[in-house]
Amino acid sequence: MKVSVIIPTHNSERTLERALQSVRNQTADCDIEILLCDDHSRDLTWLLEVADKYGCRLLRVRNGRGGPNYGRNLGIQHATGSLIAFLDHDDQWLPWKLKEQIKQIENGAEFVYSPSITVKE
């Protein structure tokens, strides 16, 4: 099974690597494709380096700033996984998130979502 993780991003230098590391730390037994969907960030050089470091495909929103939903839709268009998961650039996943959600899909669920935990830094 392959999961396409779609991460919309815009000027995310402070938080993106933490989000990406949380995807890499998943304990699920599946292939993971990460699609970074950039909405005109200032520092494209940094973003290209991060995409390379974490093995991501970098996609860019073409027509002006569209917000995170434009990035999510762009990611869906290019996703190759049988499952799609969304992660915002300033969020992170607990290590067992995908494993638990995949288990629910395998047990017949058509759609799975998770509660969130808010942490103030």
Side-chain angles (χ1 to χ4, degrees), residues 35-70:
L35 301 157
L36 287 180
C37 303
D38 180 55
D39 194 4
H40 298 264
S41 291
R42 288 183 302 261
D43 192 348
L44 182 58
T45 301
W46 175 83
L47 199 54
L48 287 166
E49 290 172 2
V50 169
D52 184 57
K53 177 179 176 180
Y54 288 91
C56 307
R57 286 177 54 201
L58 179 60
L59 307 169
R60 303 207 70 212
V61 173
R62 295 220 181 260
N63 300 325
R65 295 244 8 257
N69 286 335
Y70 279 80

PDB file of all heavy atoms in Angstrom, residues 35-70:
ATOM      1  N   LEU A  35       4.366  14.913  -1.010  1.00  0.00           N
ATOM      2  CA  LEU A  35       4.195  15.966  -2.008  1.00  0.00           C
ATOM      3  C   LEU A  35       4.163  17.307  -1.289  1.00  0.00           C
ATOM      4  O   LEU A  35       3.209  17.602  -0.557  1.00  0.00           O
ATOM      5  CB  LEU A  35       2.896  15.761  -2.786  1.00  0.00           C
ATOM      6  CG  LEU A  35       2.796  14.421  -3.515  1.00  0.00           C
ATOM      7  CD1 LEU A  35       1.373  14.041  -3.772  1.00  0.00           C
ATOM      8  CD2 LEU A  35       3.577  14.492  -4.804  1.00  0.00           C
ATOM      9  N   LEU A  36       5.217  18.100  -1.466  1.00  0.00           N
ATOM     10  CA  LEU A  36       5.243  19.465  -0.928  1.00  0.00           C
ATOM     11  C   LEU A  36       4.613  20.363  -1.986  1.00  0.00           C
ATOM     12  O   LEU A  36       5.098  20.426  -3.117  1.00  0.00           O
ATOM     13  CB  LEU A  36       6.673  19.927  -0.675  1.00  0.00           C
ATOM     14  CG  LEU A  36       7.415  19.323   0.494  1.00  0.00           C
ATOM     15  CD1 LEU A  36       8.821  19.906   0.572  1.00  0.00           C
ATOM     16  CD2 LEU A  36       6.664  19.560   1.779  1.00  0.00           C
ATOM     17  N   CYS A  37       3.556  21.051  -1.623  1.00  0.00           N
ATOM     18  CA  CYS A  37       2.821  21.890  -2.571  1.00  0.00           C
ATOM     19  C   CYS A  37       3.010  23.341  -2.170  1.00  0.00           C
ATOM     20  O   CYS A  37       2.313  23.861  -1.300  1.00  0.00           O
ATOM     21  CB  CYS A  37       1.358  21.483  -2.593  1.00  0.00           C
ATOM     22  SG  CYS A  37       1.144  19.740  -3.000  1.00  0.00           S
ATOM     23  N   ASP A  38       3.972  23.996  -2.800  1.00  0.00           N
ATOM     24  CA  ASP A  38       4.381  25.337  -2.414  1.00  0.00           C
ATOM     25  C   ASP A  38       3.519  26.411  -3.062  1.00  0.00           C
ATOM     26  O   ASP A  38       3.275  26.398  -4.257  1.00  0.00           O
ATOM     27  CB  ASP A  38       5.847  25.563  -2.791  1.00  0.00           C
ATOM     28  CG  ASP A  38       6.298  26.945  -2.392  1.00  0.00           C
ATOM     29  OD1 ASP A  38       6.160  27.285  -1.202  1.00  0.00           O
ATOM     30  OD2 ASP A  38       6.744  27.700  -3.280  1.00  0.00           O
ATOM     31  N   ASP A  39       3.121  27.356  -2.247  1.00  0.00           N
ATOM     32  CA  ASP A  39       2.297  28.481  -2.695  1.00  0.00           C
ATOM     33  C   ASP A  39       3.136  29.765  -2.663  1.00  0.00           C
ATOM     34  O   ASP A  39       2.919  30.643  -1.848  1.00  0.00           O
ATOM     35  CB  ASP A  39       1.074  28.593  -1.799  1.00  0.00           C
ATOM     36  CG  ASP A  39      -0.010  29.491  -2.372  1.00  0.00           C
ATOM     37  OD1 ASP A  39       0.146  29.970  -3.506  1.00  0.00           O
ATOM     38  OD2 ASP A  39      -1.010  29.703  -1.674  1.00  0.00           O
ATOM     39  N   HIS A  40       4.153  29.811  -3.519  1.00  0.00           N
ATOM     40  CA  HIS A  40       4.990  31.002  -3.733  1.00  0.00           C
ATOM     41  C   HIS A  40       5.781  31.439  -2.505  1.00  0.00           C
ATOM     42  O   HIS A  40       5.754  32.613  -2.116  1.00  0.00           O
ATOM     43  CB  HIS A  40       4.146  32.165  -4.267  1.00  0.00           C
ATOM     44  CG  HIS A  40       3.528  31.866  -5.586  1.00  0.00           C
ATOM     45  ND1 HIS A  40       4.071  32.252  -6.771  1.00  0.00           N
ATOM     46  CD2 HIS A  40       2.421  31.151  -5.911  1.00  0.00           C
ATOM     47  CE1 HIS A  40       3.325  31.817  -7.769  1.00  0.00           C
ATOM     48  NE2 HIS A  40       2.321  31.138  -7.277  1.00  0.00           N
ATOM     49  N   SER A  41       6.515  30.509  -1.911  1.00  0.00           N
ATOM     50  CA  SER A  41       7.403  30.854  -0.796  1.00  0.00           C
ATOM     51  C   SER A  41       8.529  31.755  -1.279  1.00  0.00           C
ATOM     52  O   SER A  41       8.938  31.705  -2.445  1.00  0.00           O
ATOM     53  CB  SER A  41       8.000  29.584  -0.181  1.00  0.00           C
ATOM     54  OG  SER A  41       7.015  28.842   0.472  1.00  0.00           O
ATOM     55  N   ARG A  42       9.067  32.561  -0.374  1.00  0.00           N
ATOM     56  CA  ARG A  42      10.154  33.489  -0.715  1.00  0.00           C
ATOM     57  C   ARG A  42      11.447  32.752  -1.054  1.00  0.00           C
ATOM     58  O   ARG A  42      12.164  33.130  -1.970  1.00  0.00           O
ATOM     59  CB  ARG A  42      10.431  34.429   0.461  1.00  0.00           C
ATOM     60  CG  ARG A  42       9.399  35.478   0.708  1.00  0.00           C
ATOM     61  CD  ARG A  42       9.825  36.393   1.854  1.00  0.00           C
ATOM     62  NE  ARG A  42      10.060  35.636   3.080  1.00  0.00           N
ATOM     63  CZ  ARG A  42       9.180  35.518   4.072  1.00  0.00           C
ATOM     64  NH1 ARG A  42       8.024  36.112   3.985  1.00  0.00           N
ATOM     65  NH2 ARG A  42       9.470  34.826   5.140  1.00  0.00           N
ATOM     66  N   ASP A  43      11.774  31.706  -0.295  1.00  0.00           N
ATOM     67  CA  ASP A  43      13.086  31.071  -0.414  1.00  0.00           C
ATOM     68  C   ASP A  43      12.958  29.703  -1.100  1.00  0.00           C
ATOM     69  O   ASP A  43      12.897  28.665  -0.455  1.00  0.00           O
ATOM     70  CB  ASP A  43      13.712  30.916   0.968  1.00  0.00           C
ATOM     71  CG  ASP A  43      15.176  30.528   0.914  1.00  0.00           C
ATOM     72  OD1 ASP A  43      15.660  30.152  -0.178  1.00  0.00           O
ATOM     73  OD2 ASP A  43      15.845  30.596   1.969  1.00  0.00           O
ATOM     74  N   LEU A  44      12.945  29.727  -2.405  1.00  0.00           N
ATOM     75  CA  LEU A  44      12.810  28.488  -3.173  1.00  0.00           C
ATOM     76  C   LEU A  44      14.052  27.615  -3.041  1.00  0.00           C
ATOM     77  O   LEU A  44      13.951  26.395  -3.020  1.00  0.00           O
ATOM     78  CB  LEU A  44      12.528  28.805  -4.645  1.00  0.00           C
ATOM     79  CG  LEU A  44      12.307  27.600  -5.551  1.00  0.00           C
ATOM     80  CD1 LEU A  44      11.146  26.749  -5.059  1.00  0.00           C
ATOM     81  CD2 LEU A  44      12.072  28.048  -6.988  1.00  0.00           C
ATOM     82  N   THR A  45      15.229  28.212  -2.913  1.00  0.00           N
ATOM     83  CA  THR A  45      16.466  27.442  -2.768  1.00  0.00           C
ATOM     84  C   THR A  45      16.401  26.567  -1.521  1.00  0.00           C
ATOM     85  O   THR A  45      16.698  25.369  -1.569  1.00  0.00           O
ATOM     86  CB  THR A  45      17.689  28.382  -2.700  1.00  0.00           C
ATOM     87  OG1 THR A  45      17.731  29.160  -3.895  1.00  0.00           O
ATOM     88  CG2 THR A  45      18.972  27.597  -2.563  1.00  0.00           C
ATOM     89  N   TRP A  46      15.994  27.140  -0.402  1.00  0.00           N
ATOM     90  CA  TRP A  46      15.864  26.375   0.839  1.00  0.00           C
ATOM     91  C   TRP A  46      14.846  25.258   0.668  1.00  0.00           C
ATOM     92  O   TRP A  46      15.084  24.116   1.075  1.00  0.00           O
ATOM     93  CB  TRP A  46      15.454  27.301   1.987  1.00  0.00           C
ATOM     94  CG  TRP A  46      15.197  26.555   3.255  1.00  0.00           C
ATOM     95  CD1 TRP A  46      16.135  26.155   4.169  1.00  0.00           C
ATOM     96  CD2 TRP A  46      13.944  26.069   3.741  1.00  0.00           C
ATOM     97  NE1 TRP A  46      15.520  25.454   5.197  1.00  0.00           N
ATOM     98  CE2 TRP A  46      14.182  25.395   4.950  1.00  0.00           C
ATOM     99  CE3 TRP A  46      12.637  26.145   3.257  1.00  0.00           C
ATOM    100  CZ2 TRP A  46      13.166  24.810   5.692  1.00  0.00           C
ATOM    101  CZ3 TRP A  46      11.621  25.552   4.002  1.00  0.00           C
ATOM    102  CH2 TRP A  46      11.892  24.892   5.201  1.00  0.00           C
ATOM    103  N   LEU A  47      13.727  25.557   0.045  1.00  0.00           N
ATOM    104  CA  LEU A  47      12.666  24.568  -0.137  1.00  0.00           C
ATOM    105  C   LEU A  47      13.135  23.406  -1.010  1.00  0.00           C
ATOM    106  O   LEU A  47      12.845  22.244  -0.725  1.00  0.00           O
ATOM    107  CB  LEU A  47      11.438  25.245  -0.744  1.00  0.00           C
ATOM    108  CG  LEU A  47      10.113  24.542  -0.607  1.00  0.00           C
ATOM    109  CD1 LEU A  47       9.791  24.192   0.840  1.00  0.00           C
ATOM    110  CD2 LEU A  47       9.011  25.407  -1.203  1.00  0.00           C
ATOM    111  N   LEU A  48      13.896  23.692  -2.050  1.00  0.00           N
ATOM    112  CA  LEU A  48      14.452  22.638  -2.904  1.00  0.00           C
ATOM    113  C   LEU A  48      15.409  21.747  -2.108  1.00  0.00           C
ATOM    114  O   LEU A  48      15.403  20.525  -2.260  1.00  0.00           O
ATOM    115  CB  LEU A  48      15.175  23.244  -4.106  1.00  0.00           C
ATOM    116  CG  LEU A  48      14.275  23.840  -5.183  1.00  0.00           C
ATOM    117  CD1 LEU A  48      15.090  24.716  -6.138  1.00  0.00           C
ATOM    118  CD2 LEU A  48      13.551  22.737  -5.945  1.00  0.00           C
ATOM    119  N   GLU A  49      16.213  22.344  -1.246  1.00  0.00           N
ATOM    120  CA  GLU A  49      17.139  21.575  -0.408  1.00  0.00           C
ATOM    121  C   GLU A  49      16.387  20.661   0.561  1.00  0.00           C
ATOM    122  O   GLU A  49      16.747  19.492   0.735  1.00  0.00           O
ATOM    123  CB  GLU A  49      18.059  22.525   0.368  1.00  0.00           C
ATOM    124  CG  GLU A  49      19.070  23.231  -0.513  1.00  0.00           C
ATOM    125  CD  GLU A  49      19.838  24.318   0.228  1.00  0.00           C
ATOM    126  OE1 GLU A  49      19.611  24.515   1.447  1.00  0.00           O
ATOM    127  OE2 GLU A  49      20.655  24.993  -0.431  1.00  0.00           O
ATOM    128  N   VAL A  50      15.341  21.179   1.174  1.00  0.00           N
ATOM    129  CA  VAL A  50      14.544  20.385   2.116  1.00  0.00           C
ATOM    130  C   VAL A  50      13.830  19.253   1.379  1.00  0.00           C
ATOM    131  O   VAL A  50      13.794  18.115   1.862  1.00  0.00           O
ATOM    132  CB  VAL A  50      13.545  21.282   2.887  1.00  0.00           C
ATOM    133  CG1 VAL A  50      12.533  20.456   3.651  1.00  0.00           C
ATOM    134  CG2 VAL A  50      14.296  22.205   3.829  1.00  0.00           C
ATOM    135  N   ALA A  51      13.273  19.556   0.220  1.00  0.00           N
ATOM    136  CA  ALA A  51      12.590  18.522  -0.577  1.00  0.00           C
ATOM    137  C   ALA A  51      13.558  17.397  -0.918  1.00  0.00           C
ATOM    138  O   ALA A  51      13.223  16.213  -0.816  1.00  0.00           O
ATOM    139  CB  ALA A  51      11.990  19.132  -1.831  1.00  0.00           C
ATOM    140  N   ASP A  52      14.774  17.750  -1.284  1.00  0.00           N
ATOM    141  CA  ASP A  52      15.791  16.750  -1.615  1.00  0.00           C
ATOM    142  C   ASP A  52      16.189  15.946  -0.366  1.00  0.00           C
ATOM    143  O   ASP A  52      16.283  14.720  -0.403  1.00  0.00           O
ATOM    144  CB  ASP A  52      17.004  17.440  -2.236  1.00  0.00           C
ATOM    145  CG  ASP A  52      18.058  16.454  -2.680  1.00  0.00           C
ATOM    146  OD1 ASP A  52      17.728  15.562  -3.489  1.00  0.00           O
ATOM    147  OD2 ASP A  52      19.206  16.556  -2.206  1.00  0.00           O
ATOM    148  N   LYS A  53      16.384  16.625   0.737  1.00  0.00           N
ATOM    149  CA  LYS A  53      16.806  15.981   1.986  1.00  0.00           C
ATOM    150  C   LYS A  53      15.795  14.933   2.453  1.00  0.00           C
ATOM    151  O   LYS A  53      16.176  13.865   2.938  1.00  0.00           O
ATOM    152  CB  LYS A  53      16.985  17.051   3.068  1.00  0.00           C
ATOM    153  CG  LYS A  53      17.349  16.518   4.434  1.00  0.00           C
ATOM    154  CD  LYS A  53      17.516  17.672   5.426  1.00  0.00           C
ATOM    155  CE  LYS A  53      17.794  17.176   6.826  1.00  0.00           C
ATOM    156  NZ  LYS A  53      17.946  18.312   7.778  1.00  0.00           N
ATOM    157  N   TYR A  54      14.503  15.213   2.292  1.00  0.00           N
ATOM    158  CA  TYR A  54      13.460  14.303   2.779  1.00  0.00           C
ATOM    159  C   TYR A  54      12.820  13.471   1.665  1.00  0.00           C
ATOM    160  O   TYR A  54      11.865  12.746   1.914  1.00  0.00           O
ATOM    161  CB  TYR A  54      12.378  15.096   3.527  1.00  0.00           C
ATOM    162  CG  TYR A  54      12.872  15.602   4.855  1.00  0.00           C
ATOM    163  CD1 TYR A  54      13.463  16.857   4.971  1.00  0.00           C
ATOM    164  CD2 TYR A  54      12.792  14.815   5.996  1.00  0.00           C
ATOM    165  CE1 TYR A  54      13.930  17.321   6.190  1.00  0.00           C
ATOM    166  CE2 TYR A  54      13.264  15.269   7.221  1.00  0.00           C
ATOM    167  CZ  TYR A  54      13.834  16.522   7.301  1.00  0.00           C
ATOM    168  OH  TYR A  54      14.304  16.977   8.509  1.00  0.00           O
ATOM    169  N   GLY A  55      13.344  13.558   0.457  1.00  0.00           N
ATOM    170  CA  GLY A  55      12.835  12.749  -0.647  1.00  0.00           C
ATOM    171  C   GLY A  55      11.432  13.114  -1.079  1.00  0.00           C
ATOM    172  O   GLY A  55      10.618  12.244  -1.387  1.00  0.00           O
ATOM    173  N   CYS A  56      11.137  14.397  -1.109  1.00  0.00           N
ATOM    174  CA  CYS A  56       9.800  14.885  -1.469  1.00  0.00           C
ATOM    175  C   CYS A  56       9.733  15.290  -2.935  1.00  0.00           C
ATOM    176  O   CYS A  56      10.739  15.665  -3.528  1.00  0.00           O
ATOM    177  CB  CYS A  56       9.445  16.130  -0.650  1.00  0.00           C
ATOM    178  SG  CYS A  56       9.600  15.940   1.117  1.00  0.00           S
ATOM    179  N   ARG A  57       8.532  15.229  -3.473  1.00  0.00           N
ATOM    180  CA  ARG A  57       8.267  15.869  -4.767  1.00  0.00           C
ATOM    181  C   ARG A  57       7.788  17.274  -4.467  1.00  0.00           C
ATOM    182  O   ARG A  57       6.900  17.473  -3.645  1.00  0.00           O
ATOM    183  CB  ARG A  57       7.184  15.117  -5.534  1.00  0.00           C
ATOM    184  CG  ARG A  57       7.685  13.806  -6.102  1.00  0.00           C
ATOM    185  CD  ARG A  57       6.606  13.017  -6.796  1.00  0.00           C
ATOM    186  NE  ARG A  57       5.919  13.793  -7.812  1.00  0.00           N
ATOM    187  CZ  ARG A  57       4.701  13.481  -8.266  1.00  0.00           C
ATOM    188  NH1 ARG A  57       4.055  12.433  -7.798  1.00  0.00           N
ATOM    189  NH2 ARG A  57       4.135  14.221  -9.191  1.00  0.00           N
ATOM    190  N   LEU A  58       8.404  18.266  -5.119  1.00  0.00           N
ATOM    191  CA  LEU A  58       8.021  19.654  -4.905  1.00  0.00           C
ATOM    192  C   LEU A  58       7.151  20.112  -6.070  1.00  0.00           C
ATOM    193  O   LEU A  58       7.564  20.041  -7.226  1.00  0.00           O
ATOM    194  CB  LEU A  58       9.264  20.542  -4.785  1.00  0.00           C
ATOM    195  CG  LEU A  58       9.009  22.036  -4.582  1.00  0.00           C
ATOM    196  CD1 LEU A  58       8.223  22.291  -3.306  1.00  0.00           C
ATOM    197  CD2 LEU A  58      10.336  22.796  -4.557  1.00  0.00           C
ATOM    198  N   LEU A  59       5.947  20.547  -5.752  1.00  0.00           N
ATOM    199  CA  LEU A  59       5.010  21.085  -6.733  1.00  0.00           C
ATOM    200  C   LEU A  59       4.769  22.546  -6.380  1.00  0.00           C
ATOM    201  O   LEU A  59       4.765  22.904  -5.200  1.00  0.00           O
ATOM    202  CB  LEU A  59       3.688  20.320  -6.691  1.00  0.00           C
ATOM    203  CG  LEU A  59       3.795  18.796  -6.828  1.00  0.00           C
ATOM    204  CD1 LEU A  59       2.450  18.142  -6.503  1.00  0.00           C
ATOM    205  CD2 LEU A  59       4.246  18.422  -8.225  1.00  0.00           C
ATOM    206  N   ARG A  60       4.554  23.385  -7.386  1.00  0.00           N
ATOM    207  CA  ARG A  60       4.330  24.808  -7.114  1.00  0.00           C
ATOM    208  C   ARG A  60       2.988  25.257  -7.660  1.00  0.00           C
ATOM    209  O   ARG A  60       2.654  24.967  -8.801  1.00  0.00           O
ATOM    210  CB  ARG A  60       5.444  25.647  -7.718  1.00  0.00           C
ATOM    211  CG  ARG A  60       6.804  25.196  -7.163  1.00  0.00           C
ATOM    212  CD  ARG A  60       7.851  26.241  -7.132  1.00  0.00           C
ATOM    213  NE  ARG A  60       7.575  27.255  -6.152  1.00  0.00           N
ATOM    214  CZ  ARG A  60       7.932  28.519  -6.301  1.00  0.00           C
ATOM    215  NH1 ARG A  60       8.544  28.929  -7.378  1.00  0.00           N
ATOM    216  NH2 ARG A  60       7.657  29.402  -5.368  1.00  0.00           N
ATOM    217  N   VAL A  61       2.222  25.951  -6.831  1.00  0.00           N
ATOM    218  CA  VAL A  61       0.963  26.552  -7.272  1.00  0.00           C
ATOM    219  C   VAL A  61       1.309  27.601  -8.313  1.00  0.00           C
ATOM    220  O   VAL A  61       2.209  28.413  -8.105  1.00  0.00           O
ATOM    221  CB  VAL A  61       0.208  27.170  -6.072  1.00  0.00           C
ATOM    222  CG1 VAL A  61      -1.001  27.946  -6.539  1.00  0.00           C
ATOM    223  CG2 VAL A  61      -0.172  26.089  -5.072  1.00  0.00           C
ATOM    224  N   ARG A  62       0.649  27.582  -9.442  1.00  0.00           N
ATOM    225  CA  ARG A  62       1.037  28.439 -10.573  1.00  0.00           C
ATOM    226  C   ARG A  62       0.450  29.843 -10.551  1.00  0.00           C
ATOM    227  O   ARG A  62       1.123  30.796 -10.852  1.00  0.00           O
ATOM    228  CB  ARG A  62       0.649  27.758 -11.878  1.00  0.00           C
ATOM    229  CG  ARG A  62       1.405  26.486 -12.114  1.00  0.00           C
ATOM    230  CD  ARG A  62       1.775  26.375 -13.569  1.00  0.00           C
ATOM    231  NE  ARG A  62       2.476  25.132 -13.815  1.00  0.00           N
ATOM    232  CZ  ARG A  62       3.780  25.042 -13.913  1.00  0.00           C
ATOM    233  NH1 ARG A  62       4.525  26.111 -13.801  1.00  0.00           N
ATOM    234  NH2 ARG A  62       4.347  23.887 -14.133  1.00  0.00           N
ATOM    235  N   ASN A  63      -0.806  30.005 -10.266  1.00  0.00           N
ATOM    236  CA  ASN A  63      -1.477  31.291 -10.463  1.00  0.00           C
ATOM    237  C   ASN A  63      -1.703  32.038  -9.164  1.00  0.00           C
ATOM    238  O   ASN A  63      -2.745  31.920  -8.551  1.00  0.00           O
ATOM    239  CB  ASN A  63      -2.819  31.076 -11.180  1.00  0.00           C
ATOM    240  CG  ASN A  63      -2.633  30.443 -12.531  1.00  0.00           C
ATOM    241  OD1 ASN A  63      -1.658  30.717 -13.209  1.00  0.00           O
ATOM    242  ND2 ASN A  63      -3.554  29.587 -12.924  1.00  0.00           N
ATOM    243  N   GLY A  64      -0.723  32.817  -8.762  1.00  0.00           N
ATOM    244  CA  GLY A  64      -0.895  33.643  -7.573  1.00  0.00           C
ATOM    245  C   GLY A  64      -1.045  32.831  -6.311  1.00  0.00           C
ATOM    246  O   GLY A  64      -1.037  31.610  -6.324  1.00  0.00           O
ATOM    247  N   ARG A  65      -1.180  33.503  -5.216  1.00  0.00           N
ATOM    248  CA  ARG A  65      -1.364  32.842  -3.926  1.00  0.00           C
ATOM    249  C   ARG A  65      -2.790  32.355  -3.816  1.00  0.00           C
ATOM    250  O   ARG A  65      -3.725  33.112  -3.896  1.00  0.00           O
ATOM    251  CB  ARG A  65      -1.050  33.820  -2.798  1.00  0.00           C
ATOM    252  CG  ARG A  65       0.383  34.242  -2.759  1.00  0.00           C
ATOM    253  CD  ARG A  65       1.192  33.860  -1.537  1.00  0.00           C
ATOM    254  NE  ARG A  65       0.607  32.992  -0.580  1.00  0.00           N
ATOM    255  CZ  ARG A  65       0.110  33.362   0.588  1.00  0.00           C
ATOM    256  NH1 ARG A  65       0.076  34.611   0.948  1.00  0.00           N
ATOM    257  NH2 ARG A  65      -0.367  32.472   1.430  1.00  0.00           N
ATOM    258  N   GLY A  66      -2.947  31.073  -3.575  1.00  0.00           N
ATOM    259  CA  GLY A  66      -4.279  30.501  -3.503  1.00  0.00           C
ATOM    260  C   GLY A  66      -4.645  29.978  -2.140  1.00  0.00           C
ATOM    261  O   GLY A  66      -5.774  29.609  -1.899  1.00  0.00           O
ATOM    262  N   GLY A  67      -3.687  29.900  -1.241  1.00  0.00           N
ATOM    263  CA  GLY A  67      -3.958  29.350   0.076  1.00  0.00           C
ATOM    264  C   GLY A  67      -3.762  27.838   0.101  1.00  0.00           C
ATOM    265  O   GLY A  67      -3.534  27.207  -0.926  1.00  0.00           O
ATOM    266  N   PRO A  68      -3.867  27.245   1.286  1.00  0.00           N
ATOM    267  CA  PRO A  68      -3.569  25.824   1.445  1.00  0.00           C
ATOM    268  C   PRO A  68      -4.449  24.893   0.611  1.00  0.00           C
ATOM    269  O   PRO A  68      -3.999  23.841   0.175  1.00  0.00           O
ATOM    270  CB  PRO A  68      -3.783  25.557   2.938  1.00  0.00           C
ATOM    271  CG  PRO A  68      -3.971  26.857   3.584  1.00  0.00           C
ATOM    272  CD  PRO A  68      -4.179  27.897   2.555  1.00  0.00           C
ATOM    273  N   ASN A  69      -5.692  25.257   0.365  1.00  0.00           N
ATOM    274  CA  ASN A  69      -6.551  24.358  -0.411  1.00  0.00           C
ATOM    275  C   ASN A  69      -6.092  24.226  -1.852  1.00  0.00           C
ATOM    276  O   ASN A  69      -6.264  23.163  -2.455  1.00  0.00           O
ATOM    277  CB  ASN A  69      -8.011  24.796  -0.337  1.00  0.00           C
ATOM    278  CG  ASN A  69      -8.619  24.466   1.009  1.00  0.00           C
ATOM    279  OD1 ASN A  69      -8.162  23.558   1.692  1.00  0.00           O
ATOM    280  ND2 ASN A  69      -9.628  25.204   1.403  1.00  0.00           N
ATOM    281  N   TYR A  70      -5.511  25.254  -2.414  1.00  0.00           N
ATOM    282  CA  TYR A  70      -4.945  25.130  -3.761  1.00  0.00           C
ATOM    283  C   TYR A  70      -3.818  24.102  -3.752  1.00  0.00           C
ATOM    284  O   TYR A  70      -3.701  23.285  -4.656  1.00  0.00           O
ATOM    285  CB  TYR A  70      -4.420  26.480  -4.266  1.00  0.00           C
ATOM    286  CG  TYR A  70      -5.501  27.366  -4.813  1.00  0.00           C
ATOM    287  CD1 TYR A  70      -6.321  28.102  -3.968  1.00  0.00           C
ATOM    288  CD2 TYR A  70      -5.693  27.474  -6.185  1.00  0.00           C
ATOM    289  CE1 TYR A  70      -7.322  28.917  -4.461  1.00  0.00           C
ATOM    290  CE2 TYR A  70      -6.694  28.289  -6.693  1.00  0.00           C
ATOM    291  CZ  TYR A  70      -7.504  29.002  -5.822  1.00  0.00           C
ATOM    292  OH  TYR A  70      -8.491  29.802  -6.320  1.00  0.00           O
TER     293      TYR A  70
END
